[in-house]
Amino acid sequence: MWLLLAFVSATLLGLYDVVKKISLERNAVIPVLFLNIFFCCLLFLPVVLLSALAPDMMRNTLLFLPAIGSEGHFLLFLKAVIVLASWIFAYFSLKHLPITIASPIKATQPILTLLGALLVFGERLNIWQWAGVLTAVISLFLLSRSGKKEGIRFAHNKWIYFMILAVVTGSVSGLYDKYLMTCLDRMNVQVWYNFYQLAIMGVILFTLWYPGRKKSTPFQWRNTIPFISILLVLADFVYFYALSYEDSMISIISLVRRSGVVVSFIAGAIWFKERNLKAKFIDLLLVLAGMYLIYLGTR
């Protein structure tokens, strides 16, 4: 069941990347990110209030937030810092790179997550899962290399480095999530770090971006901005629910979630009219093959 949930989360993440790319085109990054977090908090606010004011009504639902202590809130504040760092790097990179390049690079994140899961949590993969992981790793590497044909010099492009930093911090976040699932309720993990992110982003918005806003790309409201939050909340809800299964494997879930790059690829071809699609399509077939092998090994 947790593997199916991982694929659902992957699809939602692919759509999330698409609406994020549309929202960031020729737009200011910091206010778009702030609004994304603000709308996420707005979506979770009824859950917080109902769990506090009517716990008996919420207790037996999937949305109930059990009370946690100061140590738990500190752990979630740390998660907020890690995730926000990853998002800032990813948002700036996605704004300046084609989605068919940025998304595949982000999709290499499970490689680091896999190494961390093997070292930290002692997870072990069977032969089918290893075959799927290796196939997916090769395909994602080839997808990243395809970007060179579009004139982007990976070694001299700072937005490529931004996406690499997003991958590293994202991998740390994925491993940290697996740890948090052992000591905190999954809804607390999903909900509270958004409010801590909102506080941090509020400081960044009003002290760093707002005073110098006239010297940078102006902010434009886009109707797609609220959908960034909606798709992210749904994708994360399914993701944390998958992680809550005792036999779930963060190395596999993290890899499957990156298969949302297929959705990004389709959008890049149809919506953004990006180039060099034939070579990237072959690489995407390898992504799908890797996901199927992982499925065979996890049934």
Side-chain angles (χ1 to χ4, degrees):
M1 182 64 181
W2 59 265
L3 183 63
L4 176 61
L5 292 172
F7 277 107
V8 173
S9 181
T11 303
L12 293 169
L13 277 182
L15 295 172
Y16 160 73
D17 277 343
V18 173
V19 296
K20 187 165 60 175
K21 177 66 174 176
I22 295 172
S23 301
L24 290 170
E25 286 280 4
R26 298 179 299 278
N27 209 352
V29 172
I30 297 299
V32 171
L33 179 53
F34 175 82
L35 286 171
N36 170 25
I37 299 170
F38 172 77
F39 285 124
C40 285
C41 291
L42 206 60
L43 289 170
F44 283 129
L45 188 58
V47 175
V48 174
L49 294 177
L50 286 173
S51 294
L53 300 176
D56 292 336
M57 181 183 73
M58 295 288 291
R59 198 176 309 278
N60 295 321
T61 70
L62 293 174
L63 301 178
F64 177 60
L65 285 175
I68 57 174
S70 57
E71 182 180 352
H73 279 288
F74 173 77
L75 293 174
L76 294 176
F77 177 80
L78 181 58
K79 173 177 170 58
V81 173
I82 297 170
V83 173
L84 191 56
S86 181
W87 281 4
I88 289 174
F89 288 128
Y91 269 59
F92 274 102
S93 180
L94 185 61
K95 174 183 175 179
H96 293 93
L97 294 174
I99 194 172
T100 49
I101 293 178
S103 292
I105 296 175
K106 189 70 167 68
T108 61
Q109 182 172 309
I111 301 173
L112 292 180
T113 305
L114 171 64
L115 294 175
L118 292 174
L119 294 173
V120 178
F121 297 114
E123 293 187 1
R124 294 295 180 265
L125 310 183
N126 60 39
I127 187 65
W128 287 107
Q129 291 169 338
W130 269 119
V133 168
L134 292 175
T135 302
V137 167
I138 292 170
S139 65
L140 297 175
F141 175 73
L142 292 175
L143 272 168
S144 299
R145 286 180 60 88
S146 297
K148 293 183 179 180
K149 298 179 181 179
E150 299 183 34
I152 296 176
R153 301 177 63 190
F154 280 35
H156 302 283
N157 190 303
K158 70 176 181 180
W159 307 120
I160 296 293
Y161 289 112
F162 267 51
M163 187 55 78
I164 291 173
L165 289 171
V167 168
V168 173
T169 48
S171 298
V172 172
S173 176
L175 294 170
Y176 190 50
D177 286 342
K178 184 65 175 179
Y179 165 72
L180 290 176
M181 289 297 101
T182 66
C183 57
L184 292 174
D185 175 80
R186 62 177 180 80
M187 278 302 294
N188 274 317
V189 175
Q190 182 178 4
V191 170
W192 284 115
Y193 88 93
N194 282 283
F195 287 91
Y196 289 127
Q197 281 192 126
L198 184 66
I200 298 170
M201 276 304 300
V203 174
I204 294 174
L205 180 75
F206 291 109
T207 62
L208 298 180
W209 177 80
Y210 189 79
R213 67 192 184 283
K214 295 181 180 179
K215 300 177 183 178
S216 59
T217 306
F219 170 69
Q220 303 174 33
W221 169 259
R222 305 270 171 79
N223 291 332
T224 53
I225 291 176
F227 288 97
I228 302 176
S229 306
I230 294 171
L231 289 167
L232 178 62
V233 166
L234 291 174
D236 277 357
F237 179 84
V238 177
Y239 164 64
F240 285 118
Y241 193 56
L243 278 182
S244 68
Y245 282 79
E246 290 186 3
D247 61 338
S248 66
M249 300 174 68
I250 182 60
S251 54
I252 300 300
I253 292 176
S254 179
L255 182 62
V256 170
R257 267 167 57 96
R258 292 301 124 196
S259 65
V261 68
V262 176
V263 178
S264 302
F265 176 86
I266 295 172
I270 298 175
W271 186 275
F272 301 107
K273 309 294 183 184
E274 295 184 1
R275 300 174 294 158
N276 194 32
L277 298 177
K278 289 184 178 180
K280 294 175 183 176
F281 178 73
I282 295 173
D283 300 337
L284 275 175
L285 292 180
L286 285 176
V287 174
L288 295 175
M291 297 304 106
Y292 182 68
L293 290 171
I294 290 172
Y295 169 74
L296 290 178
T298 314
R299 283 193 305 176

